[in-house]
């Protein structure tokens, strides 16, 4: 864990120097903003893992119909079923554990931050966080308490307990809503049943419960980190689901409706993508002659006397004098 202690402390102290120059080194606001900055740096570094998680999760969803077919075919032989399922994953390049990879990678960082803040609460530095910085951190006032305070270590201060409970609720709610958003918007109907879906549903309720129970012992600084991280995940996931949803999902159908509405507003048909013709009143259109039809010239109007005196044209004759 020592490399992680140095990594976390370097980022935390670096942000504190920036915000400390503005709000003061002893200000609790500078330490709160430093923790938020630490969160953003860590989550930005995890974006490639998040993209891999989204692809793996989508592949798992799309493979569920084939997995069900294997279950029907080899349900009586669990060993053969496992072999065929793993072969299917290898053929499609899908890793069933990739969906948990960002959380697994983030857990050591979370533990390093937890240990770092716990030591700082006692005035002990770690990594590049000196004892002087640790004392500043331990006594930095925020929300009526200090950043190192927790619900169980509030010294009887009601305001600190209220803030800690609110942050625990926020951390739990954002964890639940993030997972719920994925299941309700970006999972096809076929993927909502089966072993994989059961695991997702279990995580939907178990993880928030674990965080709610364990969160009362977390320092306020750790709760700020985890809540900010959950908000990042929720926003990042919302963007991906909205702009690149999995096929045959509610989010995919919603995107199709938005694309059709956007095409309609710009005067394009969503199917062909060609400009739509303007609607005209049929009564105002001038009828056009059929192609290739000769134009008939209307005769001039003549009086009765003119018609009587008009001489008929002589008919042409042949060389023999016969009229053809």
């Amino acid at each position: 864990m020592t490399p992680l202690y140095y990594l976390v402390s370097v980022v935390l102290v670096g942000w504190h120097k920036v915000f400390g120059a503005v709000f003061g080194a002893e200000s609790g606001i500078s330490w709160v903003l430093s923790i938020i900055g630490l969160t953003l740096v860590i989550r930005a570094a995890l974006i490639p893992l998040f993209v891999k998680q989204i692809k793996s999760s989508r592949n798992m969803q799309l493979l569920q119909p084939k997995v069900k077919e294997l279950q029907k075919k080899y349900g009586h032989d669990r060993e053969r079923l496992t072999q065929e399922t793993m072969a299917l994953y290898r053929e499609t390049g899908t890793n069933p554990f990739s969906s948990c990879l960002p959380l697994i990678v983030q857990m050591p960082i979370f533990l390093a931050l937890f240990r770092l803040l716990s030591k700082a609460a006692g005035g002990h530095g770690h990594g590049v966080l000196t004892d002087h910085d640790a004392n500043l951190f331990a006594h930095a006032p925020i929300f009526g308490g200090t950043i190192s305070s927790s619900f169980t270590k509030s010294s009887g201060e009601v305001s600190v307990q209220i803030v800690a409970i609110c942050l625990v609720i926020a951390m739990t709610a954002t964890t639940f809503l993030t997972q719920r958003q994925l299941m309700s918007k970006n999972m096809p109907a076929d993927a909502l049943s089966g072993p994989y879906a059961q695991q997702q549903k279990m995580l939907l309720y178990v993880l928030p419960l674990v965080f709610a129970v364990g969160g009362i012992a977390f320092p306020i600084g750790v709760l700020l980190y985890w809540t900010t991280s959950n908000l990042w995940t929720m926003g990042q996931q919302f963007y991906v689901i909205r702009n690149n949803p999995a096929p045959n999902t509610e989010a995919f159908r919603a995107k199709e409706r938005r694309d059709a509405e956007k095409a309609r507003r710009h005067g394009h048909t969503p199917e062909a993508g060609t400009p739509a013709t303007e609607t005209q009143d049929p009564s105002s259109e001038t009828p056009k002659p059929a192609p290739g039809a000769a134009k008939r010239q209307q005769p001039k109007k003549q009086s009765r006397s003119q018609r009587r005196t008009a001489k008929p044209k002589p008919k042409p004759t042949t060389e023999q004098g016969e009229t053809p």
Side-chain angles (χ1 to χ4, degrees), residues 64-253:
Q64 287 308 300
K66 294 184 179 180
V67 172
K68 288 183 178 180
E69 292 179 1
L70 293 177
Q71 290 173 350
K72 293 179 180 179
K73 187 176 181 179
Y74 303 106
H76 59 283
D77 190 349
R78 296 185 62 86
E79 183 178 356
R80 180 67 182 278
L81 175 61
T82 302
Q83 294 175 354
E84 294 294 333
T85 304
M86 296 307 297
L88 177 63
Y89 290 156
R90 285 194 299 269
E91 291 175 2
T92 57
T94 303
N95 186 355
F97 300 103
S98 295
S99 58
C100 301
L101 191 58
L103 181 62
I104 294 174
V105 172
Q106 199 174 181
M107 286 305 296
I109 300 175
F110 171 76
L111 293 175
L113 178 63
F114 181 82
R115 292 287 301 277
L116 184 71
L117 297 182
S118 298
K119 288 180 175 293
H124 303 291
H126 207 57
V128 300
L129 185 70
T130 63
D131 291 344
H132 175 70
D133 292 334
N135 285 322
L136 293 179
F137 176 85
H139 298 91
I142 192 70
F143 303 131
T146 60
I147 293 181
S148 59
S149 302
S150 65
F151 182 84
T152 56
K153 296 180 180 180
S154 60
S155 302
E157 297 179 0
V158 178
S159 59
V160 176
Q161 293 179 341
I162 293 175
V163 170
I165 286 296
C166 290
L167 288 175
V168 169
I169 293 174
M171 180 182 66
T172 304
T174 50
T175 302
F176 176 83
L177 293 175
T178 300
Q179 187 66 19
R180 178 66 178 174
Q181 176 181 243
L182 178 64
M183 295 183 64
S184 61
K185 297 293 185 180
N186 206 39
M187 290 185 68
D190 295 339
L192 295 177
S193 59
Y196 179 72
Q198 295 301 323
Q199 295 176 5
Q200 295 292 322
K201 292 178 182 179
M202 182 179 66
L203 292 176
L204 176 64
Y205 296 101
V206 171
L207 282 181
L209 183 61
V210 171
F211 288 132
V213 174
I216 59 176
F218 294 165
I220 289 178
V222 175
L223 294 176
L224 284 170
Y225 165 81
W226 203 252
T227 303
T228 305
S229 179
N230 286 348
L231 290 174
W232 172 289
T233 302
M234 186 184 299
Q236 186 175 247
Q237 184 173 270
F238 175 81
Y239 176 83
V240 172
I241 292 176
R242 179 179 176 84
N243 294 279
N244 192 20
N248 195 27
T249 61
E250 180 62 29
F252 184 81
R253 290 186 287 271

Side-chain angles (χ1 to χ4, degrees), residues 256-272:
E256 286 184 329
R257 290 192 294 267
R258 291 195 304 271
D259 292 343
E261 179 64 20
K262 184 178 179 180
R264 187 189 64 80
R265 288 198 303 266
H266 288 79
H268 290 72
T269 56
E271 295 81 8

Side-chain angles (χ1 to χ4, degrees), residues 39-55 98 101-102 105-106 232-233 236-237 239-240:
T39 308
L40 299 181
V41 170
I42 292 175
R43 293 314 309 268
L46 293 177
I47 287 179
L49 290 179
F50 178 80
V51 174
K52 188 174 182 179
Q53 174 197 16
I54 289 295
K55 291 181 179 179
S98 295
L101 191 58
V105 172
Q106 199 174 181
W232 172 289
T233 302
Q236 186 175 247
Q237 184 173 270
Y239 176 83
V240 172

